[in-house]
Amino acid sequence: MTGRQMLAAALVALAIAGLSARAGADDPIRTEPGHLSPPPDGQIRGFAPPPAPSPSRNVVAWFNGAPRTTTIFSQPLTDACRASRFNERIPLFYRAIFYHSGVIMQALGWSRMGQENLYDPDNLAKDGINYYFENDRTRACRVYFLPD
């Protein structure tokens, strides 16, 4: 038997010994004196998943629908995005989440005029408009917008 095989056998033996010792304990769920006891019979056991994804300060909006149906497409801004003249400085640093058909989730980058993450040397952004970037910094970039 090699050293690795002996080590593996020893670890298996320790695991089996630990499980058999716990199996005979009075309260198999309570492993330490400070731990909580199991709930009384008839009450729910286990943990429930959180009701929604945890909030993030970088997620600015949630939409129920695809970007093409919930926002307005802009061809001039899309052309500027593809020419690297209207982009996010850090793609998806701020983002909006779009749910398609309730099961598919898509994240688009978000920015607006005066926001530090918007690169706009030609001053194309207008005040009070939210801009959403799909595939920013690629040839497939698409820009959507929505007024406040």
Side-chain angles (χ1 to χ4, degrees), residues 58-59 88 90-95 109-110 115-117:
N58 291 12
V59 174
E88 298 171 276
I90 302 172
L92 293 171
F93 184 78
Y94 295 107
R95 56 197 165 277
W110 170 89
Q115 206 270 337
E116 68 274 359
N117 198 39

Side-chain angles (χ1 to χ4, degrees), residues 4 11 13-16 22 26-27 38 41 71 109 121 146:
R4 285 186 182 177
L11 289 174
L14 283 173
I16 291 172
R22 278 184 34 111
D26 292 337
D27 190 354
D41 288 337
T71 58
L146 269 181

Side-chain angles (χ1 to χ4, degrees), residues 100-142:
H100 302 246
S101 307
V103 294
I104 300 171
M105 186 173 75
Q106 180 182 8
L108 267 62
W110 170 89
S111 197
R112 60 184 296 134
M113 180 180 168
Q115 206 270 337
E116 68 274 359
N117 198 39
L118 180 65
Y119 175 71
D120 183 18
D122 301 328
N123 296 319
L124 299 172
K126 294 185 172 72
D127 194 28
I129 305 289
N130 296 295
Y131 298 99
Y132 304 96
F133 297 84
E134 181 179 15
N135 301 318
D136 195 8
R137 296 191 181 185
T138 68
R139 295 178 72 187
C141 178
R142 294 175 64 91

Side-chain angles (χ1 to χ4, degrees), residues 51-63:
S54 60
S56 168
R57 68 181 125 152
N58 291 12
V59 174
V60 296
W62 298 83
F63 292 94

